[in-house]
Amino acid sequence: MKAAIDRNQDALNVRNVTKRFKVSKPPFWTRWRAQKGATGNGSTASGGRGGDAGMQGVVAIGGVSLDVHRGEIYGILGPNGSGKSTLVRMLSTLLIPDEGQVLVFGLDVVRHEMEVKRVINRVSVDAAFFKKLSPLENLLYGARLYGMTGGEARRKSIDILGRLGLEARSYTQPMDEMSRGMQQKVAIARAFLTQPILLLLDEPTTGLDPRSKYEVQEFVNELRDCHDATILITTHDMGEADRLCDRIAILDEGRIVAEDTPAGLKRLIRRNGHEPTLEDVFMQLTGKKLSGAEEFDPEPVEVAN
Amino acid sequence: MFARLNLRTEVLQSYAFVARNFNLIKRYWGWELVWLAYSTATSLAVVFIGEGSALITGAEDIDTSYFVLYLLLGTLVWGFLSGLFNDISEMIQWERWEGTIEYTLMAPVHRFTQIIGQAGFAVLHSLLFTMTIGVAMIIFFSLDLSDANLFGALLVLLAGSLSLVSLGVMASILPLLYTERGTQMTHIVQAFLLLISGVYYPIEVLPSVLQTLARVSPVYYVLNGIRSAVLEGTPTSELWGYIVPLLIIGVVGMPLGVWVFRQAELYAKRHGKLKRVG
């Protein structure tokens, strides 16, 4: 029987998902030399997180669970290397979890890969395009992959590109002649073109100027409000997360260390003469402080998960 | 694998790859010209060996025009088949280079559909490319093809394309699994096919082990079939001895290629090898 998306279910259920990556061993002579050196001076080379990485692999995501309700904008914050992109790749069928399960509107992303692919799309931090092709050619390609005819795809592409503020003359110029901000807008347009009901945005505004950021954020809001899309967004921009997200999870070293609304997260840390920002929350929960931020003096907090 | 195919959607999706690749060729037209000049020059160099055969060997009773045509067919057919093989086997490498691999592989497209689209483009592209070189060669060497069975040769070529596509699909898993060295590995497969298939010499000159391998190479049947049709004017009804093995290799090889590719894709998804950079 053909599996079908159930729109009454949560847009996303991530259940105890773990992903490890094997790390290649260095050549034997390097290991031999390191071992010899270690015997001589008593020090050893340390592995990454996950202990002996060469033997057991790096734990990129360790037992993560979260639920995203239909129509939510759900943010994931975390330092570089915390596992955000790995998690998004698993949600978008590009990585298979080692343990646990990911459900999109009730369908397992591994067992019902094709059905899930039809209703999701993703925008990544690096706008992945055929760089010599124009925005229109790239969008036509993308739309056809989702079964749209050329005429329909062309009409919709021109409409969306226009709404994103791209000048008509840039529709046919190669992507590599466009600014990063423009490229990212085309990436958003490409995702929007396929009308996903779950949109995964992996740092979509990184490197954009404030105006471009604002336009992308407006578009994200419009997607949710007018097109009934659920959005999962990862970002390093705390202000953006605060403005856009209904709920936020903070990911550190592959684990969720807190999950709440932006206001709820701020309540988690002690106020010490000033209203905490999401950045303060991030710093405390990921165990890192900015230099010169001693006056903040955060307390350790009990966190979920 | 072939379940729940919606024909209209699959056709549109296949066409996406054909249109995209021809758009890329338009944008990279300079590369195409360079490659065309290079291929024409190397084909000429090979065919001139035939022209110089009497001078090289000192023998006067060599049928030079037969030898020239023999080598010309070798270089053209090899140019077509290797172009086809490249276009298919590079379908992953090209996407890695552009950084679009994750985008394409997360689209709701069956691999069979993607391969059909890529193969459709590869056949058209290689055919246009080879025909351009072929016409230049025929004019350059004033060749007489009045007795040749060109229709039969085309049939053999198309049957051979099917089997080469399946080999190309299997080779394309190498860049999927080995992000840095995969493309070089496909070149080894290609070089081995060139060695064993009798492109520029009869396979009888090869050691017996390689002769055995040649008989399972589709390139061998394509070359022999086309040489028979063009050099001997063999009628189409007598070319089935070449066409049937090619069809068998293709019909068995295509689903096998798609299955192997799918397994490689699953492996890549388990081990994080689809990532844009290594």
Side-chain angles (χ1 to χ4, degrees):
Chain A
M1 203 178 85
K2 191 174 175 176
I5 291 292
D6 181 357
R7 287 206 180 212
N8 294 320
Q9 300 227 20
D10 276 343
L12 190 61
N13 302 114
V14 178
R15 291 178 184 159
N16 207 22
V17 162
T18 295
K19 186 71 200 170
R20 299 179 193 88
F21 291 115
K22 279 185 184 168
V23 177
S24 321
K25 285 182 184 175
F28 73 90
W29 57 85
T30 313
R31 278 181 280 145
W32 177 76
R33 216 181 292 161
Q35 205 172 17
K36 204 176 153 193
T39 320
N41 59 26
S43 67
T44 53
S46 60
R49 52 174 206 259
D52 188 354
M55 297 301 291
Q56 298 189 4
V58 172
V59 178
I61 291 289
V64 164
S65 296
L66 57 90
D67 298 312
V68 179
H69 312 306
R70 179 180 161 189
E72 254 192 323
I73 299 182
Y74 188 95
I76 297 182
L77 306 181
N80 292 327
S82 57
K84 301 187 297 295
S85 295
T86 300
L87 183 59
V88 171
R89 281 195 172 88
M90 283 193 282
L91 309 184
S92 47
T93 75
L94 293 167
L95 264 180
I96 296 174
D98 294 334
E99 292 162 30
Q101 193 181 31
V102 178
L103 301 174
V104 170
F105 287 101
L107 292 186
D108 186 295
V109 294
V110 179
R111 281 176 56 219
H112 302 290
E113 182 185 348
M114 198 56 76
E115 288 81 2
V116 169
K117 281 175 168 179
R118 288 193 185 103
V119 297
I120 64 170
N121 213 318
R122 165 175 172 245
V123 177
S124 58
V125 60
D126 47 349
F129 286 107
F130 289 91
K131 294 164 199 72
K132 284 286 173 204
L133 297 189
S134 68
L136 207 49
E137 287 166 338
N138 270 295
L139 261 53
L140 279 173
Y141 166 62
R144 283 183 178 128
L145 288 185
Y146 284 76
M148 222 179 274
T149 62
E152 183 189 4
R154 183 177 294 271
R155 202 174 53 252
K156 284 190 173 174
S157 300
I158 290 172
D159 176 49
I160 297 169
L161 290 172
R163 281 168 52 207
L164 279 167
L166 263 77
E167 292 176 32
R169 64 182 168 83
S170 65
Y171 297 175
T172 52
Q173 77 182 59
M175 293 287 298
D176 62 2
E177 291 175 15
M178 300 173 80
S179 67
R180 214 189 95 66
M182 299 265 270
Q183 289 186 12
Q184 202 62 1
K185 281 184 188 175
V186 180
I188 300 268
R190 181 175 61 182
F192 184 57
L193 194 59
T194 64
Q195 296 179 318
I197 55 173
L198 174 62
L199 184 59
L200 307 165
L201 302 172
D202 191 5
E203 299 181 34
T205 57
T206 298
L208 299 189
D209 65 61
R211 183 180 297 278
S212 299
K213 263 188 189 183
Y214 177 77
E215 286 168 350
V216 169
Q217 288 164 7
E218 283 296 292
F219 210 68
V220 170
N221 270 324
E222 186 191 325
L223 264 176
R224 191 262 299 268
D225 297 339
C226 304
H227 300 276
D228 194 22
T230 304
I231 319 272
L232 182 136
I233 181 169
T234 75
T235 181
H236 286 300
D237 184 332
M238 302 299 145
E240 176 175 273
D242 208 352
R243 278 192 302 279
L244 276 181
C245 300
D246 301 310
R247 285 189 304 142
I248 292 171
I250 296 184
L251 197 65
D252 191 31
E253 300 201 339
R255 294 175 195 283
I256 291 183
V257 295
E259 185 196 46
D260 208 331
T261 60
L265 284 174
K266 287 175 201 167
R267 278 197 298 272
L268 275 178
I269 62 169
R270 199 182 75 176
R271 298 177 187 186
N272 189 17
H274 77 287
E275 182 70 21
T277 63
L278 212 48
E279 193 165 294
D280 297 329
V281 178
F282 178 86
M283 289 299 171
Q284 176 158 344
L285 296 184
T286 58
K288 296 158 189 81
K289 277 200 302 187
L290 285 176
S291 59
E294 281 77 11
E295 71 276 11
F296 176 56
D297 189 24
E299 280 182 348
V301 290
E302 290 287 324
V303 292
N305 208 11
Chain B
M1 183 164 50
F2 301 103
R4 295 198 291 271
L5 294 183
N6 175 326
L7 191 60
R8 183 176 174 273
T9 306
E10 307 298 324
V11 169
L12 281 169
Q13 290 174 329
S14 283
Y15 180 68
F17 294 96
V18 179
R20 179 203 72 186
N21 290 346
F22 275 113
N23 280 334
L24 283 169
I25 282 184
K26 274 194 289 179
R27 297 283 181 175
Y28 288 104
W29 62 269
W31 285 20
E32 284 295 306
L33 278 184
V34 168
W35 187 237
L36 190 64
Y38 172 81
S39 303
T40 309
T42 50
S43 295
L44 279 169
V46 168
V47 177
F48 270 119
I49 295 172
E51 282 283 309
S53 55
L55 283 173
I56 295 166
T57 61
E60 291 176 358
D61 56 344
I62 294 177
D63 185 348
T64 307
S65 56
Y66 182 92
F67 193 24
V68 164
L69 201 51
Y70 182 93
L71 289 175
L72 176 64
L73 289 173
T75 189
L76 287 180
V77 170
W78 177 247
F80 172 79
L81 295 177
S82 60
L84 185 73
F85 182 84
N86 279 338
D87 281 342
I88 299 286
S89 63
E90 286 176 3
M91 69 177 171
I92 291 299
Q93 191 56 33
W94 193 270
E95 300 244 22
R96 263 199 205 287
W97 183 54
E98 293 275 9
T100 53
I101 185 168
E102 289 193 331
Y103 185 76
T104 298
L105 291 188
M106 73 170 280
V109 180
H110 293 97
R111 286 304 146 246
F112 180 72
T113 306
Q114 179 177 1
I115 287 161
I116 291 293
Q118 192 74 21
F121 158 77
V123 169
L124 286 172
H125 179 224
S126 297
L127 207 55
L128 286 172
F129 201 84
T130 310
M131 277 167 62
T132 309
I133 299 173
V135 168
M137 292 287 175
I138 289 166
I139 295 167
F140 202 89
F141 290 100
S142 309
L143 297 168
D144 177 17
L145 295 176
S146 54
D147 293 331
N149 174 10
L150 294 178
F151 174 74
L154 186 66
L155 274 188
V156 175
L157 196 66
L158 291 177
S161 301
L162 185 66
S163 46
L164 254 289
V165 166
S166 60
L167 278 184
V169 170
M170 288 186 225
S172 70
I173 68 168
L174 294 169
L176 192 64
L177 300 179
Y178 304 98
T179 49
E180 287 157 3
R181 303 172 300 278
T183 307
Q184 285 72 18
M185 292 179 184
T186 63
H187 293 161
I188 293 172
V189 177
Q190 206 176 339
F192 193 69
L193 282 175
L194 174 66
L195 171 71
I196 63 166
S197 303
V199 175
Y200 300 121
Y201 41 78
I203 62 159
E204 285 71 22
V205 302
L206 294 170
S208 58
V209 178
L210 294 183
Q211 284 187 43
T212 309
L213 288 173
R215 289 194 170 83
V216 292
S217 161
V219 182
Y220 165 76
Y221 294 98
V222 178
L223 281 161
N224 278 5
I226 288 180
R227 280 185 174 132
S228 178
V230 175
L231 291 171
E232 320 294 342
T234 306
T236 305
S237 57
E238 292 173 30
L239 292 174
W240 290 106
Y242 305 106
I243 293 173
V244 169
L246 288 170
L247 290 177
I248 291 172
I249 295 172
V251 167
V252 173
M254 270 295 273
L256 183 66
V258 176
W259 183 81
V260 168
F261 189 96
R262 181 66 185 147
Q263 299 313 306
E265 185 183 343
L266 288 173
Y267 177 88
K269 285 181 175 180
R270 277 192 201 99
H271 294 85
K273 291 193 179 270
L274 293 184
K275 212 173 160 184
R276 181 183 174 182
V277 192

